[in-house]
């Protein structure tokens, strides 16, 4: 092939340098090792959203694919380990449950273990299903060690992720990407030029007049969606009727004691509060619905509910839950907040950044921008986002709280059919119906159904034919988990020995 026939992408421009921008730059620098110029434009004056500190286990795959060592990462981003999320006051007031990374117990039969637990419960067992989660047994003691691979051991039944300082993570990835040749331009983009014939983005013009052109543009400009919406008018599907929270206020505080190896989400009058413990501080925020609470009151309520002394002023954020109608439009791919937003209840935004990056690499275009490639990218991206949306709505829909307008609205609202079907199956026989591209495995759905008090009307019919008395097995599994958790080092001690 001669040079004039070469249709390869040679210039990629990433607009924005938040978590999305630098994660994309690092991953593309690793994937496109030569003959492609990658540039990031970011504006210190505009800044980043500055939150986004809790993650889910696939983040480990992302770091591993870049060859980042865990010790280095934990040291540089002041990270702590995360075994799941404790939900407080969600099902009803003064009630709590744990959504663990990993399942409950170990199946010993082809009727799932939770059915045996439901049977035992009907016969008087009072221990919560959380007690059969290895992640919770470790988390409640404030301990941590990595899982093992041996499927016979209860230590193979959990997973973990991290809490980290998002600003430090972006800085870390910036060094990584710049080492691999990525070029950073500081400054504000004032204008975007489209090709008059094709409608593709040709270049951006900086406030100082510089023009930067490229073949492929990655829009990591945050909520404003400078290219995908500002220039291409792609459109947005609004999901506020299912997820009515539209504001947040964030305020870090000093740690009170050692960091817990889990996130906490506490439901309040008009939304919920996150608590994310890092090595050097605790991240906090109140996500709320502006129809039921005003901004000043939300900031005051958050300030009054911190573990330790506030570090800085409250930081207000506004958002509309939903998704961009296409994540990839012409030669622009939206990654991060520019592609849409789901509230951080299950810490999924950073994962969605990672998911769009993986798809982009798997479906990397050439200058012809094959429409079938773009359609496939959008099909997967949209399905993935809708599956996560359903899982988040589940938490609101299953509430039994009737003490405030938000909760009454959510308990009564109609939900997407895809979710209603899952709720109905669980309510009937405790069955977990999985769907293509579900990010959250049946174990996660189980934790939320049971945790939010959606107990099935009947047991799985198959259990009547098994003739198995599972009580011994349940006691044995729980005992083994308790013993293994007791023997682990403390979470803070584990971090100290890891980072030296
Ligand atoms: P931003 O951080 O907003 O970055 C945008 C970039 O674009 C900036 O560098 C900016 O300077 C640049 N830019 C914009 N316009 C221009 C211009 N005209 N010229 C030049 N540069 C420009 N995610 C999780 O996974 N876990 C969480 O716990 C979590 N918590 C969250 C809590 C809240 C309240 C919110 C709102 C989000 C949360 N998220 C969370 C989401 C997470 O913060 C984001 O997914 C992540 O930070 C990525 O943001 P971004 O890079 O897309 O956008």
């Amino acid at each position: 092939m001669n040079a004039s026939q070469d249709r390869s992408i040679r210039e990629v421009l990433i607009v924005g340098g938040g978590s999305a921008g630098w994660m994309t730059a690092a991953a593309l620098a690793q994937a496109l090792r030569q003959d492609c110029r990658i540039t990031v434009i970011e504006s210190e004056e505009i800044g980043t959203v500055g939150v986004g500190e809790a993650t889910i286990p696939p983040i480990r795959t992302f770091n591993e694919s870049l060859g980042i060592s865990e010790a280095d990462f934990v040291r540089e981003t002041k990270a702590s380990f995360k075994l799941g999320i404790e939900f407080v006051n969600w099902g009803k007031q003064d009630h709590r449950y744990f959504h663990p990374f990993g399942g409950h117990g170990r199946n010993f039969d082809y009727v799932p273990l939770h059915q045996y637990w439901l049977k035992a419960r009907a016969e008087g067992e009072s221990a919560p299903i959380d007690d059969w989660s290895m992640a919770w047994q470790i988390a409640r003691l404030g301990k941590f060690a990595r899982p093992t691979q041996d499927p016979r051991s209860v230590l193979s039944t959990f997973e973990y992720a991290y809490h980290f300082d998002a600003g430090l993570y972006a800085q870390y990835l910036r060094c990584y990407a710049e080492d691999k040749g990525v070029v950073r331009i500081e400054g504000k983009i004032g204008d975007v030029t489209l090709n008059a014939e094709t409608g593709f983005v040709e270049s951006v013009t900086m406030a100082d007049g510089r023009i930067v052109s490229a073949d492929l543009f990655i829009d990591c400009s945050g909520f404003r969606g400078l290219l995908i919406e500002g220039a291409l008018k792609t459109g947005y599907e609004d999901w506020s009727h299912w997820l009515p929270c539209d504001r947040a206020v964030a305020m870090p505080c000093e740690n009170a004691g050692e960091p817990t190896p889990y996130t906490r989400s506490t439901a309040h009058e008009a939304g919920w509060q996150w608590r994310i413990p890092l090595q050097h501080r605790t991240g906090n925020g109140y996500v709320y619905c502006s129809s039921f609470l005003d901004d000043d009151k939300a900031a005051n309520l958050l300030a009054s509910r911190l573990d330790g002394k506030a570090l800085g002023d409250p930081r207000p954020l506004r958002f509309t839950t939903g998704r961009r109608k296409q994540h990839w439009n012409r030669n622009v791919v939206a990654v991060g907040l520019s592609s849409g937003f789901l509230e951080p209840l299950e810490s999924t935004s950073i994962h969605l950044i990672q998911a769009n990056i993986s798809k982009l690499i798997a479906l990397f275009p050439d200058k012809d921008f094959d429409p079938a490639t773009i359609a496939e990218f959008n099909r997967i991206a949209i399905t993935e986002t809708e599956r996560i949306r359903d899982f988040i709505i589940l938490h609101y829909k299953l509430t039994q709280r009737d003490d405030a307008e938000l909760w009454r609205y959510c308990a009564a609202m109609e939900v997407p059919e895809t979710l209603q079907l899952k709720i109905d199956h669980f309510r009937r026989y405790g069955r977990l119906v999985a769907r293509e591209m579900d990010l959250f495995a049946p174990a996660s759905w189980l934790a939320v159904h049971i945790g939010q008090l959606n107990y099935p009307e009947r047991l799985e019919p198959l259990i009547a034919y098994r003739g198995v008395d599972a009580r011994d097995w349940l006691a044995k599994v729980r005992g083994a988990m308790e013993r293994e958790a007791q023997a682990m080092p403390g979470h803070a001690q584990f971090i100290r020995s890891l980072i030296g």
Side-chain angles (χ1 to χ4, degrees):
M1 195 199 313
N2 64 36
S4 65
Q5 291 172 314
D6 180 13
R7 304 293 298 149
S8 302
I9 301 283
R10 297 291 177 205
E11 305 259 1
V12 178
L13 178 60
I14 299 170
V15 172
S19 310
W22 287 112
M23 283 176 75
T24 309
L28 289 186
Q30 167 84 335
L32 315 173
R33 291 200 180 164
Q34 53 191 32
D35 299 332
C36 186
R37 186 179 159 85
I38 303 170
T39 307
V40 174
I41 298 181
E42 67 176 321
S43 156
E44 269 169 32
E45 189 192 325
I46 294 176
T48 65
V49 74
V51 281
E53 310 196 308
T55 57
I56 55 173
I59 185 77
R60 285 164 43 213
T61 316
F62 183 78
N63 284 349
E64 278 161 22
S65 72
L66 298 181
I68 294 172
S69 96
E70 186 169 76
D72 221 29
F73 163 78
V74 169
R75 187 184 309 108
E76 297 302 322
T77 66
K78 306 252 185 255
S80 66
F81 291 88
K82 174 178 171 188
L83 291 159
I85 306 177
E86 184 185 32
F87 287 92
V88 181
N89 296 345
W90 273 86
K92 58 183 182 187
Q93 293 275 28
D94 303 320
H95 178 263
R96 48 183 74 212
Y97 69 94
F98 195 64
H99 169 197
F101 294 145
H104 294 86
R106 258 196 317 119
N107 287 339
F108 63 100
D109 184 24
Y110 50 80
V111 172
L113 185 111
H114 75 267
Q115 294 287 355
Y116 287 104
W117 174 81
L118 286 166
K119 184 163 182 271
R121 182 176 176 272
E123 291 162 1
E125 171 64 71
S126 59
I129 199 158
D130 294 346
D131 281 12
W132 281 269
S133 152
M134 189 69 229
W136 174 239
Q137 292 287 1
I138 305 167
R140 74 189 178 90
L141 297 177
K143 305 249 183 173
F144 187 76
R146 294 191 187 92
T148 64
Q149 300 295 317
D150 178 0
R152 289 164 306 175
S153 165
V154 289
L155 293 176
S156 66
T157 62
F158 74 100
E159 293 181 64
Y160 70 92
Y162 311 104
H163 307 120
F164 58 69
D165 183 317
L168 294 178
Y169 188 49
Q171 259 175 47
Y172 184 83
L173 292 178
R174 176 178 160 189
C175 292
Y176 176 99
E178 286 182 329
D179 272 358
K180 288 198 176 329
V182 171
V183 174
R184 173 184 180 275
I185 300 177
E186 166 60 37
K188 218 164 155 177
I189 295 170
D191 205 8
V192 181
T193 304
L194 302 184
N195 181 291
E197 248 173 64
T198 62
F200 279 43
V201 174
E202 264 181 4
S203 61
V204 298
T205 307
M206 312 283 297
D208 62 9
R210 274 177 296 171
I211 295 177
V212 185
S213 54
D215 306 317
L216 171 65
F217 292 80
I218 317 292
D219 188 343
C220 297
S221 65
F223 286 127
R224 45 179 63 76
L226 199 64
L227 307 182
I228 195 83
E229 197 57 56
L232 296 185
K233 314 274 178 259
T234 302
Y236 196 77
E237 193 172 300
D238 184 335
W239 291 336
S240 308
H241 49 297
W242 289 316
L243 292 167
C245 290
D246 56 355
R247 304 238 172 127
V249 55
M251 194 190 295
C253 72
E254 287 177 356
N255 279 345
E258 308 220 306
T260 52
Y262 57 90
T263 305
R264 182 177 297 135
S265 161
T266 306
H268 288 307
E269 49 289 279
W272 59 278
Q273 180 174 340
W274 78 74
R275 176 184 174 279
I276 301 177
L278 311 183
Q279 288 174 41
H280 58 313
R281 61 168 167 77
T282 300
N284 308 282
Y286 188 176
V287 174
Y288 59 97
C289 176
S290 60
S291 313
F292 305 129
L293 189 65
D294 70 51
D295 298 346
D296 288 345
K297 199 151 179 224
N300 290 336
L301 284 167
L302 177 64
S304 70
R305 291 167 175 159
L306 303 179
D307 288 2
K309 192 170 155 244
L311 298 169
D313 294 329
R315 182 180 166 82
L317 296 136
R318 292 179 176 209
F319 51 82
T320 305
T321 294
R323 68 162 171 85
R324 202 67 63 197
K325 289 196 169 146
Q326 299 171 71
H327 288 207
W328 184 340
N329 187 359
R330 299 187 177 93
N331 60 339
V332 174
V333 180
V335 177
L337 298 172
S338 63
S339 69
F341 186 67
L342 282 166
E343 59 176 79
L345 188 58
E346 286 285 353
S347 322
T348 44
S349 285
I350 291 172
H351 175 76
L352 285 170
I353 294 174
Q354 182 183 342
N356 270 8
I357 294 170
S358 307
K359 284 190 291 293
L360 175 61
I361 292 172
L363 294 167
F364 202 75
D366 59 21
K367 284 183 187 161
D368 291 330
F369 287 94
D370 173 26
T373 299
I374 297 176
E376 179 62 1
F377 183 101
N378 283 324
R379 183 186 74 83
I380 302 171
I382 288 167
T383 313
E384 283 171 339
T385 317
E386 290 182 352
R387 298 285 186 259
I388 297 172
R389 172 203 68 192
D390 284 3
F391 187 58
I392 295 175
I393 299 173
L394 180 77
H395 300 64
Y396 284 93
K397 175 65 187 169
L398 291 184
T399 190
Q400 294 185 2
R401 287 182 63 145
D402 62 359
D403 57 304
E405 273 188 78
L406 173 72
W407 302 108
R408 287 192 290 274
Y409 170 83
C410 291
M413 72 185 167
E414 288 212 1
V415 297
E417 266 176 51
T418 40
L419 171 60
Q420 191 59 52
L421 181 122
K422 290 188 172 203
I423 294 177
D424 292 345
H425 275 280
F426 196 81
R427 192 159 286 162
R428 194 103 8 104
Y429 295 114
R431 285 184 179 145
L432 295 156
V433 178
R435 282 284 174 269
E436 182 207 14
M437 289 188 240
D438 267 332
L439 170 65
F440 289 97
S444 293
W445 286 80
L446 173 71
V448 179
H449 279 297
I450 297 286
Q452 302 251 157
L453 312 163
N454 182 28
Y455 289 109
E457 291 154 1
R458 300 185 205 170
L459 293 178
E460 162 65 58
L462 203 59
I463 210 166
Y465 305 96
R466 306 297 299 151
V468 178
D469 182 0
R471 276 171 300 186
D472 279 357
W473 174 256
L474 286 172
K476 213 170 122 195
V477 172
R478 185 168 59 161
M481 288 179 165
E482 282 167 357
R483 277 192 304 282
E484 294 288 2
Q486 282 292 353
M488 285 182 178
H491 177 222
Q493 186 192 341
F494 185 91
I495 294 173
R496 279 193 295 272
S497 58
L498 178 70
I499 63 180

